[in-house]
Amino acid sequence: MDVVESVPERPLTARGRRTRDAIVDAAAELMYARGIAATGIADVLAASGTGKSQLYHYFTDKSDLVLAVIDRQLERVLEAQPALAGEDLQAWASALWELHRDGGGPFPCPLGVFSSQVETDERWHARQAAAFTAWQDRLAALLARGQRAGRVDPTRDADALAVGVLAALQGGLMLARLHRDLHVLELALAAAVDHVRVRA
């Protein structure tokens, strides 16, 4: 059975939390931009303004740090989607498209960008899969609320619909990046919304 080891618990002091957060944030930015393999510990130390002893106080090694980065990227993804707490998938899709439009996108998914990079470490793979499951669960909850509100087809399984919506988003982002065309993402999101709507 695969076991996902926990990242060391957050330190109790405010100063310790700030130091750990600085390390994780720096690592997340570098790994997002360069990739996991191309980001070394020395790069993270320089970007975070911390020392090696501080980093190893919170993380046993780079592998441990990557787990924390995946967690941080999931936090960022969910925080950027407040519409997940609602019941209207169209509102969620519109807000997500506007986020990319207003931010100069399409830009890579902060979480999805790591999916092809985690195969070298089973702990990374398991943590990445768990992160996407957490995101999928939020979408399923939105869709279930949409079903109760009459916005989403009540005859369909919300969990299964969430898989399709998340897959459409990830595929749309990949193709939009490839073609450098935000309209591709718009089409993918529109297809996802149409897939779940109540039929006449």
Side-chain angles (χ1 to χ4, degrees):
M1 181 176 65
D2 295 330
V3 177
V4 182
E5 295 182 18
S6 297
V7 174
E9 292 185 7
R10 292 171 63 86
L12 297 178
T13 68
R15 181 178 181 182
R17 285 194 297 272
R18 287 194 299 270
T19 299
R20 186 182 185 279
D21 286 346
I23 293 169
V24 175
D25 288 342
E29 293 298 328
L30 289 170
M31 291 177 185
Y32 176 71
R34 302 179 183 179
I36 293 173
T39 301
I41 290 296
D43 301 317
V44 176
L45 296 177
S48 62
T50 57
K52 186 177 292 187
S53 63
Q54 290 173 300
L55 187 146
Y56 286 112
H57 177 72
Y58 304 114
F59 305 100
T60 57
D61 53 21
K62 178 181 173 180
S63 182
D64 232 12
L65 177 58
V66 172
L67 295 177
V69 166
I70 292 171
D71 291 343
R72 179 58 50 84
Q73 296 300 76
L74 173 62
E75 290 174 4
R76 289 174 171 173
V77 163
L78 297 180
E79 288 171 359
Q81 300 175 63
L84 281 173
E87 61 182 30
D88 186 350
L89 189 69
Q90 178 62 66
W92 168 82
S94 297
L96 196 56
W97 183 80
E98 289 166 5
L99 180 68
H100 283 263
R101 180 197 63 190
D102 296 344
F107 48 82
C109 172
L111 188 60
V113 72
F114 295 139
S115 291
S116 63
Q117 303 176 41
V118 298
E119 297 300 324
T120 58
D121 187 306
E122 184 55 37
R123 297 191 309 158
W124 299 353
H125 181 275
R127 186 62 62 87
Q128 180 79 350
F132 267 95
T133 297
W135 189 357
Q136 180 182 310
D137 288 345
R138 297 289 188 92
L139 278 167
L142 182 160
L143 291 164
R145 290 190 296 271
Q147 288 175 322
R148 292 192 292 272
R151 297 176 181 273
V152 175
D153 186 346
T155 68
R156 312 278 294 281
D157 180 72
D159 290 322
L161 290 176
V163 173
V165 170
L166 190 51
L169 169 60
Q170 292 298 311
L173 283 172
M174 181 192 70
L175 291 174
R177 290 282 297 170
L178 179 65
H179 297 296
R180 298 175 181 172
D181 185 356
L182 191 56
H183 183 56
V184 174
L185 175 60
E186 185 178 22
L187 291 174
L189 290 170
V193 171
D194 184 66
H195 179 65
V196 308
R197 69 181 176 85
V198 176
R199 304 295 174 182

